[in-house]
Amino acid sequence: MTNARETAAVPAEPSSMKRGAPSGDILDFLRGRGVAVPPAASGGRRELGGEGGLLESLWRGGHVGAAELAAQLAVFYGLPLARPGEVAAGAVIGSDLSLRFLRETFILPYAGEDGLCLAVADPGAGEEIDAVRLALPGADALTILPFDAFDRLFSDIGKEEREGPTAGADGSDTALEGLDLALGDDPEALQDLARGAPIVRAVDQVLERALEAGATDIHFETGREALRIRLRVDGILRLDQSLPKRLAPAVISRIKILAGLDIAERRLPQDGRANIRIGHVEADLRIAVMPTLYGETAVARILLKDARLLDFARIGMDAVNRTAFERLLAEPHGIIIVTGPTGSGKTTTLATAVSLLNDPARKIVTVEDPIEYQIAGIHQTQIKPSIGLGFAQALRAFLRHDPDVMMVGEMRDGETASIGIQAALTGHLVLTTLHTNSATDAVVRLADMGVEPYLIAASLRGVLGQRLVRRLCERCRRPAPERTAEVRDLCRTRGLSVPEHADYHRAVGCPTCSGSGFQGRVGVFEVFAATPEIRVLIRERPDPQRLVAAARLDGMTTMLEDGLLKAAQGFTCIDEVFRAVG
């Protein structure tokens, strides 16, 4: 349908074009073409929580794939689809054009077969398109390029700029080569070097690449011969670059300066925080520095300041688990726990739950470390252990503020657990997290903290267990029907429910996903509700196996079953489910 028109761009104002069409028109069109547009989209991009345009929010929210959205827009606006290779080869970045502006607006001028063209992701962005035309006269024709293709193209353009005239043959910054790094233990000289332009630029480029790649952590690791920098993307560490060992003190010192740490202290661990902004992306960094055998090592946890309206469907929770969890949240009092390992999305789930409960009729307070999601109408407190303000102290103080709902970032000790249980028993709804392997293990963990089983049975309303699995790249995934028999055998052996309709795929790898075969992550969940029968088991003896058996009789879907269902739907692959869940 659209392939025949991919060879020529369309002039700016054909009669069939709908530049600036109302959002309702395009949404109605997408719904009519079978795209699952959520009802909240009718309220505009803020209802979807998008920082960019409405269509960008639909894509980033996982409501529609980038390629599918581009194909539908080509039909709606009567425009051709651009060829990514042609756009990359003919990209035009003039001196009057801001690369950051082009990146944020998803517009890229390029020299096509018939002259200058503008590749756009959203043809309805009239003001932004007109602004580029003012800076680049003659770029009248428009073509459509998917959102994810822009991310890849701008990443390549940024890489070329970084590896341009200042880069050496090995890809390192030649501006760093002439630095005098024979500093010994002189902290003042090291501080001057860490504040210098070459080191500042090198660290800023690492931060920029990390945000572009969607990394959650940056590891600066000092080894015997090199400073290795790795990024954790979709839960997996991958090498970003290696710098000469002599640069390690200056780079680590720069990280310390960002976090307000003492650069002269190299013998003890240090923790700090920093705030960065690159383009329209703002993030907090939690920075930890540790002395090791060959020098100091630093890890920066990236916490995006995400102001989007959170939604359970967006994080991958299906209708069955969503209904079960929302039923728990409807309880007037009690304690609800979210469990999972570090980096499994527990904070995002809690923030989503709090957003759902956010109502002028309720007073909601949170105690967090750190405050990752800032939610209007909710009283949020950051703990500060250095001055004696921990989870237990803040929770005890908030009990005197007449709250209806209390969210505790994590129950780390018996004191916090006891205060939370008492709050739940005295008419408050308490939301919190624990680090356990499954939902039922949370009961045993509370007992290990010293909470009496009868108090757990009286206060617990339910537990949500979760993991994150990597989402298959839509561009390069390939069918894997041979896994159907394996899954059926597994389900038969383990007594699990078998997915009715199987559409299994495997990871391949392409330039879009940097050869990994995956892009992004999706959650797998299990909801353990404390029914009257389960409360009896908790009072008698908190045994996880007995609790799981009883919960499955009540209809609980385990994380493994939820993961197999998502693999059968093509969201992820079987091996990824086994890696994350077991």
Side-chain angles (χ1 to χ4, degrees):
M1 177 177 60
T2 55
N3 290 341
R5 294 186 292 169
E6 286 184 352
T7 56
V10 170
E13 302 292 343
S15 59
S16 62
M17 192 170 171
K18 307 176 184 66
R19 277 280 302 280
S23 61
D25 292 349
I26 182 62
L27 293 179
D28 292 341
F29 175 80
L30 292 174
R31 290 191 182 103
R33 305 276 292 191
V35 177
V37 178
S42 300
R45 63 186 174 94
R46 293 198 179 277
E47 291 300 320
L48 285 173
E51 285 295 317
L54 175 63
L55 297 180
E56 180 187 353
S57 298
L58 284 175
W59 164 61
R60 290 199 185 279
H63 304 293
V64 59
E68 179 186 0
L69 180 59
Q72 301 295 354
L73 292 177
V75 176
F76 181 77
Y77 287 100
L79 292 172
L81 290 170
R83 292 192 296 268
E86 181 183 3
V87 176
V92 176
I93 308 295
S95 58
D96 294 332
L97 293 173
S98 165
L99 184 60
R100 177 173 295 179
F101 174 80
L102 295 176
R103 183 195 300 271
E104 294 178 1
T105 56
F106 293 93
I107 301 174
L108 185 58
Y110 70 99
E113 296 178 357
D114 300 321
L116 283 177
C117 303
L118 293 183
V120 299
D122 181 3
E127 295 181 0
E128 292 83 356
I129 293 173
D130 291 341
V132 175
R133 284 174 172 161
L134 285 175
L136 195 65
D140 296 326
L142 296 180
T143 58
I144 295 180
L145 197 64
F147 280 104
D148 59 353
F150 276 96
D151 282 350
R152 185 173 67 257
L153 287 174
F154 279 115
S155 178
D156 293 341
I157 292 171
K159 183 177 180 181
E160 290 175 3
E161 288 194 347
R162 291 190 297 268
E163 296 178 355
T166 61
D170 60 351
S172 61
D173 195 334
T174 55
L176 299 173
E177 295 180 359
L179 295 177
D180 181 11
L181 299 176
L183 300 171
D185 295 323
D186 185 355
E188 292 185 3
L190 187 59
Q191 184 174 24
D192 291 341
L193 180 62
R195 293 182 184 274
I199 295 296
V200 170
R201 183 172 65 248
V203 173
D204 286 351
Q205 288 175 354
V206 172
L207 297 174
E208 183 176 353
R209 288 196 300 274
L211 290 181
E212 288 176 353
T216 57
D217 302 86
I218 310 173
H219 292 245
F220 299 86
E221 302 167 330
T222 304
R224 180 193 295 269
E225 298 177 350
L227 172 67
R228 184 173 63 169
I229 301 175
R230 296 194 291 173
L231 308 179
R232 187 176 295 279
V233 181
D234 295 336
I236 305 297
L237 280 172
R238 69 186 193 195
L239 181 65
D240 177 67
Q241 67 176 137
S242 292
L243 297 175
K245 170 72 177 292
R246 58 191 176 84
L247 294 177
V251 171
I252 299 296
S253 294
R254 175 60 186 166
I255 300 299
K256 289 182 178 180
I257 290 173
L258 286 175
L261 303 179
D262 183 4
I263 67 169
E265 179 56 72
R266 305 177 193 174
R267 301 167 299 170
L268 297 175
Q270 297 187 70
D271 297 313
R273 289 179 172 83
N275 178 266
I276 61 172
R277 185 178 184 89
I278 297 177
H280 63 283
V281 178
E282 187 174 2
D284 284 327
L285 302 180
R286 277 195 298 176
I287 294 173
V289 181
M290 171 70 75
T292 62
L293 178 62
Y294 299 110
E296 290 182 296
T297 291
V299 177
R301 166 66 58 89
I302 302 174
L303 303 171
L304 294 179
K305 289 192 173 181
D306 195 343
R308 292 179 290 179
L309 182 66
L310 297 165
D311 181 74
F312 287 128
R314 190 174 67 84
I315 60 178
M317 193 178 294
D318 63 16
V320 174
N321 284 324
R322 184 164 67 249
T323 300
F325 190 53
E326 289 177 351
R327 189 179 297 121
L328 297 179
L329 295 174
E331 294 282 349
H333 52 77
I335 186 167
I336 299 172
I337 303 173
V338 179
T339 71
T342 301
S344 61
K346 299 187 298 296
T347 302
T348 300
T349 300
L350 274 185
T352 305
V354 169
S355 297
L356 182 66
L357 295 171
N358 193 8
D359 185 282
R362 292 189 180 100
K363 179 165 184 177
I364 304 177
V365 299
T366 73
V367 183
E368 305 173 64
D369 181 31
I371 298 174
E372 186 170 346
Y373 295 90
Q374 299 178 19
I375 306 173
I378 293 176
H379 305 276
Q380 299 175 266
T381 294
Q382 165 76 51
I383 71 165
K384 298 177 181 178
S386 60
I387 60 173
L389 182 62
F391 280 111
Q393 293 77 16
L395 184 57
R396 186 181 292 109
F398 260 143
L399 283 172
R400 297 190 289 270
H401 285 247
D402 187 30
D404 297 294
V405 180
M406 307 179 71
M407 193 268 271
V408 185
E410 182 183 349
M411 284 190 172
R412 296 179 178 175
D413 51 52
E415 183 183 7
T416 306
S418 297
I419 298 172
I421 293 291
Q422 293 300 324
L425 292 172
T426 54
H428 303 87
L429 184 63
V430 180
L431 310 179
T432 189
T433 69
L434 282 174
H435 288 87
T436 62
N437 292 325
S438 67
T440 53
D441 284 344
V443 177
V444 180
R445 178 74 176 122
L446 287 175
D448 289 342
M449 286 182 174
V451 181
E452 294 293 339
Y454 74 91
L455 291 177
I456 300 174
S459 60
L460 184 65
R461 294 296 172 265
V463 185
L464 174 73
Q466 69 179 72
R467 295 287 192 281
L468 290 177
V469 296
R470 291 181 293 172
R471 188 189 292 265
L472 284 170
C473 175
E474 294 181 359
R475 287 183 174 271
C476 64
R477 66 179 186 176
R478 294 291 182 270
E482 67 277 2
R483 306 304 295 268
T484 303
E486 176 186 350
V487 173
R488 287 181 177 176
D489 290 342
L490 172 67
C491 292
R492 190 180 304 111
T493 303
R494 300 285 296 273
L496 307 177
S497 58
V498 181
E500 295 182 4
H501 304 288
D503 186 24
Y504 299 112
H505 287 73
R506 59 182 174 86
V508 177
C510 67
T512 300
C513 58
S514 301
S516 68
F518 300 93
Q519 270 196 315
R521 290 186 289 179
V522 64
V524 294
F525 304 90
E526 62 183 17
V527 180
F528 169 66
T531 62
E533 294 80 9
I534 287 176
R535 295 181 196 279
V536 172
L537 294 177
I538 293 175
R539 288 191 186 95
E540 292 176 352
R541 181 164 57 93
D543 185 328
Q545 293 183 351
R546 296 177 65 195
L547 294 176
V548 169
R552 285 182 55 76
L553 288 176
D554 287 332
M556 183 184 83
T557 301
T558 66
M559 279 187 286
L560 178 57
E561 288 174 308
D562 190 37
L564 294 176
L565 178 60
K566 286 183 168 62
Q569 294 170 340
F571 290 115
T572 187
C573 65
I574 297 296
D575 294 333
E576 180 64 13
V577 173
F578 292 160
R579 181 194 67 82
V581 179

